[in-house]
Amino acid sequence: MSDRLCGVLLHPTALPGTPVCGTFGSHAHALIDLLADQGIAAWQLLPLAPTDGTGSPYSSPSGSALNPWLLDADDLVTQGFLEPGDLEALPSDGSEPMAESSAGAPGPAPLDLSLAPARAAALGRLLVQRWASQPLDQKQRFGRWRRQQRSWLRDHCRFMVLRRLQEGQPWWNWPGPLARRHSRALRTLDQQHGPALLEEGLLQWHLQRQWDGLQRHAHRRGVQLIGDLPFYVAHDSADVWRHRSLFSLQFDGSLAQQSGVPPDYFSATGQLWGTPVYRWSAHWLGGFRWWLRRLGRQLQLFDRLRLDHFRALQAYWSIPGSDTTAQNGTWQPSPGWPLLALLWLDCWRRGGLLPDGRLPLIAEDLGVITPAVEALRDSFALPGMKILQFAFDGNADNPYLPANYRGNRWVVYTGTHDNATSRSWWDGLDQGGRDRVRAVVGADVTAPGWQLLEAALATEAELVVVPLQDLLELDDRARFNTPGTTGGNWCWRLNRSISDLKGPLLGFGRLADRYGRSSPVGPGGAG
């Protein structure tokens, strides 16, 4: 495989072809085939965990679980876990399944944040109803898998069931014995709510089964799957409920210290994120076991992993838990070096390092980064990130300008899920910004996404990733997320069939080949 690769950024919820939400099903497999056929060696996704109420996968109630919205119902029928008639009763947005030959057919509606969980819950109930009639070998497979995932699965199931029983109240407002995880209360839950717990377990098993098939297909075709991991975990999550001592909490479960970033040019009060910071002393005493399991789980799912807010591995902004702004925080040190060293050793033991011996991590190092953070990143030879949309402020020393890249340990993006599409970004630039873009791309700008992509491909960076929206030259009606807002995010879906992407991906592949970034094609065949 080439040392200089390229890939596409697309979250699977945006895939077409299925009602309500994209899935791990046939359309995801078809995308992998198209990428591989054009020598495009990477597919980058956002976190696959369940989302919060706004649809964000970066604030999950259970960081090791998979999002039930992504469960493919057709596969459940094909594999004999459901009957064909079962699907007729599922909540739907009214859109018809999109066949791969349906060029020009209307695309799916945007993801509906009320229908998606309702459909997933209905699938879970159907799986429980059909479970008694499943063959013994399937039940044995499920039992083995459940035991293998015991470190996170049992408490994930308990947490999700308790959330429903407590009508969505955060865990610190639950009755004391449940909030504090008294063994008698948990035994009573297990005894009285077996079907609901089974439902959660079956959803996760089938999600894992479908993801494993997709992962095998990707590996067979030579396509890397790149994941994304938030640095912090949500306060109201199975992770914090299960491991209270590892987080900065009061006795009643409220925040003692919370996360965020300090005031800067853009915000006089800083950013308050509301997630608990880590009690690093407890992680030290436990040999970073929780972190190693967390990262190990994600590295089982993905070939490489983008670590969000990497700078907090060196030092983090800690804010009193009762504060309503980030102004009164202080910088506190993090044990990033020993944690990454232990992770390297763990990956080495499991054969999980990259071929050149590096950790399979990408450091999200955007923003103002200190020399100490750069030293931590570079001591493990991790690639950092460059966003071309950030490069044109007129400063000759702008670190995002391709001329200022040093070395090849970078992943270069035209933009990310948090940015405007390149088309709308270009439309919003002033004349000075447009002139600077023209100087870098060396031509008049008629297709900003493609021309930024070519500038990225021409660099020495080890990986270039482009959002699919930029290949399709879409405007901000296809934007995936606008930071600092809570409505209308995470809902965009591709409004054409996967087969209709052949032209843009063919063009991407030819452009990548011109710059020595094409990957050998793996054998075909569905997973």
Side-chain angles (χ1 to χ4, degrees):
M1 187 171 286
S2 169
D3 291 332
R4 299 169 67 244
L5 303 177
C6 62
V8 165
L9 172 62
L10 180 73
H11 197 48
T13 58
L15 289 167
T18 50
V20 181
C21 183
T23 72
F24 294 154
S26 61
H27 300 273
H29 286 262
L31 177 61
I32 286 172
D33 283 332
L34 270 185
L35 295 174
D37 288 346
Q38 307 309 326
I40 300 166
W43 177 11
Q44 182 167 339
L45 309 88
L46 306 188
L48 294 179
T51 75
D52 67 7
T54 70
S56 171
Y58 290 90
S59 181
S60 176
S62 190
S64 291
L66 297 173
N67 185 354
W69 303 357
L70 297 167
L71 188 61
D72 189 74
D74 290 334
D75 169 83
L76 296 175
V77 173
T78 300
Q79 298 299 321
F81 295 103
L82 295 181
E83 297 294 330
D86 291 338
L87 305 192
E88 297 174 4
L90 291 175
S92 175
D93 56 9
S95 63
E96 293 296 324
M98 182 184 291
E100 282 307 305
S101 61
S102 58
L111 189 149
D112 187 311
L113 296 178
S114 59
L115 273 179
R119 184 177 175 87
L123 276 175
R125 290 190 296 270
L126 286 169
L127 288 169
V128 171
Q129 291 171 20
R130 298 291 185 187
W131 186 239
S133 62
Q134 289 299 309
L136 178 61
D137 64 325
Q138 295 287 21
K139 295 178 180 178
Q140 291 173 334
R141 289 191 188 100
F142 173 62
R144 285 194 297 270
W145 178 81
R146 187 163 52 177
R147 289 189 294 273
Q148 292 167 356
Q149 308 301 322
R150 188 179 179 88
S151 65
W152 66 269
L153 180 64
R154 182 171 63 171
D155 285 308
H156 160 78
C157 295
R158 287 169 168 171
F159 185 83
M160 301 308 288
V161 169
L162 282 168
R163 270 187 130 197
R164 292 200 296 272
L165 294 174
Q166 300 299 322
E167 299 180 336
Q169 286 293 307
W171 64 261
W172 54 92
N173 288 340
W174 295 351
L178 291 171
R180 292 189 287 274
R181 295 179 48 81
H182 289 180
S183 57
R184 179 179 295 179
L186 294 180
R187 281 197 304 271
T188 300
L189 173 72
D190 294 346
Q191 293 165 359
Q192 294 182 353
H193 297 281
L197 294 166
L198 175 63
E199 176 183 321
E200 294 295 336
L202 287 174
L203 284 169
Q204 291 301 312
W205 181 51
H206 286 295
L207 284 160
Q208 186 70 58
R209 181 182 57 77
Q210 291 181 2
W211 176 258
D212 287 347
L214 190 65
Q215 189 180 51
R216 287 191 300 270
H217 187 194
H219 290 170
R220 191 161 52 242
R221 298 304 316 270
V223 174
Q224 296 183 22
L225 299 173
I226 302 175
D228 198 343
L229 183 68
F231 185 80
Y232 292 110
V233 298
H235 185 193
D236 187 21
S237 68
D239 311 83
V240 177
W241 175 65
R242 171 65 179 84
H243 300 281
R244 288 180 57 166
S245 64
L246 300 180
F247 300 90
S248 183
L249 302 177
Q250 306 281 12
F251 179 77
D252 64 0
S254 61
L255 296 170
Q257 294 289 125
Q258 60 180 313
S259 62
V261 291
D264 57 18
Y265 175 80
F266 300 100
S267 173
T269 59
Q271 295 180 36
L272 195 67
W273 294 343
T275 54
V277 299
Y278 295 105
R279 188 170 282 141
W280 283 118
S281 59
H283 289 271
W284 270 101
L285 289 173
F288 298 101
R289 183 181 307 161
W290 180 87
W291 263 100
L292 293 176
R293 284 179 173 172
R294 183 187 187 217
L295 289 164
R297 165 69 175 157
Q298 296 303 312
L299 291 173
Q300 289 173 348
L301 299 173
F302 298 106
D303 301 295
R304 300 185 77 170
L305 188 65
R306 187 192 87 127
L307 185 57
D308 200 28
H309 196 49
F310 177 83
R311 71 104 48 246
L313 271 181
Q314 190 276 325
Y316 63 99
W317 190 247
S318 182
I319 306 153
S322 59
D323 281 16
T324 56
T325 74
Q327 292 169 284
N328 297 322
T330 57
W331 285 110
Q332 299 294 326
S334 295
W337 200 95
L339 172 55
L340 289 175
L342 285 172
L343 179 63
W344 187 95
L345 184 60
D346 187 56
C347 287
W348 174 75
R349 287 170 176 161
R350 294 184 293 101
L353 296 172
L354 296 178
D356 59 8
R358 292 183 298 156
L359 282 167
L361 298 179
I362 297 167
E364 187 277 286
D365 56 352
L366 305 175
V368 179
I369 298 299
T370 66
V373 177
E374 293 175 340
L376 176 63
R377 179 196 66 203
D378 294 344
S379 65
F380 289 89
L382 302 179
M385 288 177 56
K386 299 294 186 184
I387 310 296
L388 283 181
Q389 289 185 14
F390 297 168
F392 304 101
D393 62 359
N395 293 321
D397 60 351
N398 184 308
Y400 300 102
L401 273 173
N404 295 329
Y405 299 174
R406 298 293 176 262
N408 69 337
R409 289 200 304 266
W410 303 107
V411 180
V412 181
Y413 299 79
T414 55
T416 73
H417 65 281
D418 280 337
N419 298 114
T421 66
S422 288
R423 167 58 62 187
S424 285
W425 166 80
W426 169 259
D427 290 343
L429 279 182
D430 60 21
Q431 190 59 47
R434 292 187 172 200
D435 290 341
R436 290 187 284 273
V437 175
R438 290 189 188 98
V440 167
V441 303
D444 287 338
V445 177
T446 57
W450 282 89
Q451 289 169 277
L452 287 182
L453 173 59
E454 185 165 10
L457 293 169
T459 69
E460 291 302 312
E462 63 182 69
L463 178 62
V464 170
V465 177
V466 59
L468 184 66
Q469 293 95 314
D470 283 355
L471 293 180
L472 302 179
E473 302 185 73
L474 301 178
D475 62 21
D476 266 1
R477 286 173 293 184
R479 182 169 180 165
F480 212 60
N481 181 50
T482 304
T485 66
T486 57
N489 296 318
W490 319 109
C491 295
W492 175 75
R493 293 188 70 191
L494 185 61
N495 65 351
R496 62 191 78 186
S497 70
I498 296 297
S499 60
D500 288 342
L501 301 179
K502 184 175 182 179
L505 291 177
L506 176 64
F508 183 18
R510 288 177 174 173
L511 197 59
D513 188 54
R514 184 186 307 170
Y515 291 97
R517 292 185 179 275
S518 185
S519 174
V521 176

